[in-house]
Amino acid sequence: RVHGENDVRKEAAEAFDVLYATVGFKIVEEILPSFVTSLSSHAAFDATVGGIRELLRKRAMAVFPQLLNRLLPANCLLFHVRALGLVADVSEPSLCKHLDRIFTKLFDVYAHAQPKGDEELCEAVREAFRSISAAIRLNGIHLLLEQIRTSFVSEKTHIRILSSISLVSLCQKNNSDWSSHAPGLISLVSSLLSEKNTTILPHINESIAALIELHGKQDPYMCLTALQEGLKIAKQNVETRMIKAQQAQDDKTKENQEPQKIIADGLCQPGSLNSWIDLFVRCTVTNGDAQIRQTAVCLMEDVVRVIDYKTLQLNIMKITGPLIRIFGETIPAEVKQAVLSCLLVLLEQGGVLLKPFIAPLQSTFLKALKDSTKGIRENGIECLCKLALMIPKPQALISDFLNEVNNNENEDIRTAALTAIHKILSIIKTKMPQDNIIPLTQNLALVLKKCSENEREPGAYALGCACASISDMDQLSKALKQHIMTAEPASWYSRHAQALAMYAFLNSTEVSTIVSFASQLIPAISAHVADDKTQIKLVGIQCYGVIIKRIPSTEPQHFQIMQSILPHTIEALQSTPPETKPNTLKLLKSLAKSAPNVAQNNLNKVVPLVFACVKDKNIQIKLSAERCLIHLLQLNQGKSNVLTNYLDNCNDAEINKSLGDYVKRVLSRLKQDS
């Protein structure tokens, strides 16, 4: 009989130890059945467990295997499971050797108890897992971790839940050092955030929180990189699932379906981001190590990319504040770039959610614009472009940039400021007050007269976008004549600036404006195409390409405009140097695709020039010419009559013979969409 007094049980255990040394296993076999029988009595349960614990303290290696046979019978009851949990902490080093058997049995008990609603037995099983994980010592940790890993990827939900409970207990209650096993386990658990099973997701998040709490303090860099790896796998899992779902849909559904964002459902559960953000703040604000800071920011960027709008709405303040704060400190360039990259993603994903941060964000991005590192300046510009859409008065921002252009002695910063003006104007378009636009175009025109070579392109693009923002047609006509379509400037760099400004204007303005001013724009562009400087000629060809691409064939003046472009294109092809021939041929191909009737009316002029280029030794010119011929002769549409009609009316016998042969040997074998 088990005595109720603890001291008496200890003395009895001492006697058992002496007997075991003399008799051996026989004494264990004789006394354990009575102990287990006593466990079934509610009144004797606590005392019996106390007695078993004393025996295990003395002879765990001998007692526990025999005890386990009786605590895990075929019909395992509540008292069996409770007793197992209560003796686990004194059962090592024998406990770890029987983990597979214990886990398998407890999984089975839980699976039978849960459907019956036996919550008391289920809780006893959960508590047993907690006790076992807390009890395992260093020499058995690898066995426990192997059980946890295997169970986490099981197809059965109850096994994964119990595995999570075991892992949480290991992190919170076990003092053994198992940090060498941590990276793989953190990656594994965080990769499961791609799960759709809402029953298991809270347990996965609880496990991640416990892992972060333990290892995020011990080794933050290891924890961050392991989470990154796991999140990468989770994202790939979601992508694979989306691809499979898309493949199962019919073609009509695919056409109507908008691109879906990759969402890791595990990170969108209530409170799931708390531990991630705590780690992020600890590693960025508190920790001064540059590598840890950079990795923490990159991890948070990855997180923001895979959470839904509602989750971002709840957490965006907690993420943005630390980013702004650390950017204001003296930090290395790579950390600054990581911060700007993360802020850019926040602006893309959150947009108006960041309105409370407009002022500090603007200050942060302006600081980035003045940085000595080119990549940081470029990232700052991208962020400012996103922010400009939320700023009530973007003209103030443009004014700040213009001040930098006029007053800053650093050429790189002036170039960055001009780039920012161009990109912001191309985004906000007519949102800029008209009273500010005209002075801006005048200022930019003055800047272009004295700017360096590096400033010319962004400055010209900014001028073109500024002109495109003018809504009054009379004022626009005046601005174009003053700044973009002036009489031919004396210096080639001024002509180059005008050509670049024209290109930006054509890309930014409305199609209706291009049509209205076509009679003025096309002659101005033709001057650029005929220029003796290759750089200017190339920009001119690009300008024609923009017009061809942007004006739809449904436009009433489409035919007339294309017809006015063709002679200049033919002239360019006759006189252009080898450097610009591929671009000219591509332009001619675009025109043939956009306005086939215009091309058909001029085949006698165009085809001989293009066919001559097919024989060019420059492979780029040769390939461009072949693709151009396909569309000129409409070979891609299977209209053999176009070629036949041309050959019938061709007076050049050599071309007549060689072209027909070349079509059969080469062009007919090329891809029709070339």
Side-chain angles (χ1 to χ4, degrees):
R1 187 172 68 85
V2 181
H3 202 281
E5 294 294 329
N6 190 40
D7 291 340
V8 175
R9 291 199 298 270
K10 286 184 178 180
E11 290 179 10
E14 292 288 346
F16 164 79
D17 191 34
V18 173
L19 282 171
Y20 181 83
T22 307
V23 180
F25 276 107
K26 187 176 180 181
I27 187 65
V28 177
E29 294 172 351
E30 287 181 0
I31 66 172
L32 275 184
S34 61
F35 271 90
V36 175
T37 302
S38 298
L39 287 172
S40 61
S41 168
H42 181 74
F45 181 82
D46 291 341
T48 304
V49 169
I52 294 173
R53 287 174 60 84
E54 293 300 330
L55 296 181
L56 288 167
R57 282 193 177 97
K58 294 297 181 182
R59 296 283 179 173
M61 291 294 290
V63 174
F64 187 74
Q66 299 298 320
L67 176 65
L68 199 59
N69 291 335
R70 290 165 174 80
L71 290 183
L72 298 178
N75 183 27
C76 200
L77 302 176
L78 176 63
F79 70 86
H80 291 119
V81 178
R82 287 183 59 203
L84 178 60
L86 290 169
V87 302
D89 63 317
V90 290
S91 301
E92 278 285 63
S94 182
L95 175 64
C96 65
K97 298 179 181 179
H98 302 276
L99 284 177
D100 185 51
R101 180 185 172 192
I102 295 170
F103 273 43
T104 302
K105 185 62 181 179
L106 290 180
F107 289 149
D108 185 58
V109 172
Y110 194 86
H112 284 85
Q114 198 176 31
K116 297 176 182 178
D118 191 346
E119 182 54 33
E120 192 176 10
L121 181 54
C122 288
E123 180 54 35
V125 173
R126 291 192 288 265
E127 191 56 41
F129 272 100
R130 293 186 188 104
S131 300
I132 292 168
S133 296
I136 297 296
R137 295 294 167 254
L138 186 60
N139 61 338
I141 283 288
H142 67 286
L143 298 171
L144 175 62
L145 290 174
E146 185 56 37
Q147 285 291 331
I148 291 173
R149 285 193 197 96
T150 306
S151 304
F152 250 115
V153 295
S154 170
E155 293 181 357
K156 297 179 179 179
T157 301
H158 74 279
I159 292 179
R160 302 174 75 186
I161 290 172
L162 293 172
S163 177
S164 170
I165 290 169
S166 183
L167 177 57
V168 171
S169 179
L170 174 64
C171 293
Q172 294 177 347
K173 298 179 181 179
N174 196 310
N175 296 323
S176 301
D177 181 10
W178 50 280
S179 55
S180 60
H181 301 277
L185 192 58
I186 294 172
S187 295
L188 171 66
V189 179
S190 54
S191 71
L192 300 175
L193 290 166
S194 58
E195 286 281 344
K196 300 287 287 184
N197 186 340
T198 54
T199 304
I200 188 63
L201 285 176
H203 296 279
I204 292 173
N205 280 313
E206 189 180 358
S207 298
I208 292 173
L211 288 164
I212 289 174
E213 180 63 23
L214 176 63
H215 296 288
K217 293 177 180 178
Q218 291 180 355
D219 190 345
Y221 181 70
M222 176 276 293
C223 187
L224 291 166
T225 52
L227 286 169
Q228 271 187 316
E229 182 61 29
L231 198 56
K232 180 182 176 182
I233 297 170
K235 184 179 177 182
Q236 290 171 347
N237 292 340
V238 176
E239 283 181 305
T240 303
R241 190 165 62 231
M242 289 170 63
I243 291 169
K244 287 181 179 178
Q246 192 176 23
Q247 289 172 344
Q249 295 173 345
D250 56 57
D251 294 336
K252 188 174 181 180
T253 308
K254 290 177 185 178
E255 289 175 8
N256 298 330
Q257 193 175 47
E258 294 182 1
Q260 290 181 308
K261 181 185 175 183
I262 296 171
I263 300 291
D265 290 323
L267 287 175
C268 302
Q269 302 296 305
S272 58
L273 280 187
N274 291 344
S275 56
W276 295 73
I277 292 175
D278 288 344
L279 177 66
F280 164 69
V281 172
R282 191 162 62 240
C283 291
T284 52
V285 177
T286 308
N287 197 304
D289 184 272
Q291 188 181 39
I292 291 176
R293 278 183 159 183
Q294 182 185 359
T295 309
V297 174
C298 291
L299 173 62
M300 190 49 61
E301 180 183 332
D302 293 340
V303 168
V304 172
R305 289 183 185 276
V306 294
I307 58 177
D308 58 26
Y309 188 80
K310 183 179 177 181
T311 306
L312 181 60
Q313 186 177 17
L314 294 171
N315 296 281
I316 197 165
M317 300 293 184
K318 303 173 190 175
I319 300 170
T320 308
L323 291 172
I324 293 173
R325 177 176 171 179
I326 64 170
F327 196 88
E329 300 174 10
T330 305
I331 54 176
E334 57 269 20
V335 181
K336 287 183 180 180
Q337 286 182 309
V339 170
L340 290 170
S341 179
C342 188
L343 287 172
L344 181 60
V345 174
L346 284 168
L347 284 164
E348 291 171 347
Q349 306 285 342
V352 293
L353 298 177
L354 286 170
K355 273 194 172 181
F357 285 104
I358 283 180
L361 283 173
Q362 185 172 330
S363 175
T364 299
F365 300 150
L366 287 172
K367 188 180 293 183
L369 195 72
K370 300 176 186 178
D371 199 273
S372 58
T373 305
K374 183 180 179 182
I376 294 174
R377 293 196 301 271
E378 290 174 345
N379 286 350
I381 291 169
E382 292 298 317
C383 291
L384 281 166
C385 290
K386 296 291 181 184
L387 191 67
L389 294 170
M390 294 188 288
I391 296 175
K393 295 182 178 180
Q395 63 270 26
L397 189 60
I398 298 289
S399 179
D400 288 341
F401 294 144
L402 203 55
N403 286 334
E404 291 295 331
V405 172
N406 290 324
N407 301 318
N408 201 303
E409 296 180 359
N410 188 312
E411 181 186 322
D412 291 335
I413 294 175
R414 293 198 306 271
T415 303
L418 287 167
T419 304
I421 293 172
H422 157 230
K423 291 195 172 183
I424 290 174
L425 284 173
S426 66
I427 291 172
I428 63 174
K429 297 187 183 296
T430 55
K431 289 182 181 179
M432 187 85 166
Q434 293 300 297
D435 292 343
N436 298 94
I437 283 292
I438 302 302
L440 177 62
T441 57
Q442 293 168 347
N443 279 319
L444 289 171
L446 290 173
V447 167
L448 282 174
K449 290 180 180 179
K450 58 180 181 179
C451 69
S452 66
E453 186 175 350
N454 291 333
E455 297 170 77
R456 187 188 310 141
E457 183 174 309
Y461 285 167
L463 176 59
C465 286
C467 289
S469 300
I470 300 173
S471 56
D472 183 270
M473 291 296 103
D474 291 336
Q475 288 187 332
L476 174 58
S477 178
K478 185 179 178 182
L480 289 174
K481 289 175 182 177
Q482 284 182 341
H483 309 310
I484 297 181
M485 298 189 299
T486 59
E488 188 175 320
S491 61
W492 82 267
Y493 50 82
S494 295
R495 300 197 304 276
H496 189 215
Q498 284 196 2
L500 291 168
M502 175 69 79
Y503 178 72
F505 171 77
L506 292 169
N507 273 298
S508 302
T509 194
E510 299 293 330
V511 172
S512 58
T513 305
I514 298 176
V515 173
S516 300
F517 286 88
S519 59
Q520 301 172 49
L521 294 171
I522 290 173
I525 297 170
S526 68
H528 299 316
V529 174
D531 201 283
D532 57 351
K533 283 287 184 180
T534 302
Q535 296 99 314
I536 300 172
K537 190 185 290 289
L538 280 171
V539 178
I541 292 168
Q542 289 172 344
C543 288
Y544 275 146
V546 174
I547 294 176
I548 292 169
K549 182 180 179 181
R550 294 201 64 197
I551 298 180
S553 57
T554 53
E555 168 62 44
Q557 297 185 47
H558 177 265
F559 182 86
Q560 183 182 347
I561 293 171
M562 298 301 131
Q563 202 169 28
S564 63
I565 291 175
L566 184 60
H568 302 297
T569 308
I570 294 171
E571 186 181 345
L573 192 58
Q574 289 173 322
S575 60
T576 192
E579 296 89 346
T580 59
K581 264 190 180 177
N583 296 74
T584 310
L585 288 163
K586 288 175 184 176
L587 174 65
L588 190 55
K589 182 185 80 171
S590 299
L591 194 148
K593 290 171 70 176
S594 177
N597 291 340
V598 174
Q600 301 312 304
N601 295 340
N602 294 273
L603 286 180
N604 289 332
K605 298 177 183 177
V606 177
V607 171
L609 292 172
V610 177
F611 189 55
C613 294
V614 167
K615 302 170 185 177
D616 200 291
K617 293 181 180 179
N618 185 316
I619 190 66
Q620 196 174 4
I621 295 174
K622 175 183 171 64
L623 293 175
S624 299
E626 288 177 346
R627 269 69 185 172
C628 184
L629 277 173
I630 287 176
H631 293 279
L632 283 170
L633 300 172
Q634 296 189 15
L635 300 175
N636 61 318
Q637 299 178 28
K639 294 183 179 180
S640 58
N641 62 309
V642 176
L643 174 63
T644 304
N645 291 340
Y646 172 75
L647 294 176
D648 289 344
N649 297 311
C650 181
N651 297 323
D652 191 321
E654 185 179 346
I655 290 181
N656 198 315
K657 180 182 177 182
S658 54
L659 177 59
D661 180 58
Y662 197 81
V663 168
K664 290 178 183 178
R665 288 188 303 102
V666 179
L667 299 186
S668 60
R669 298 182 181 182
L670 296 177
K671 288 184 178 181
Q672 299 304 300
D673 58 348
S674 296

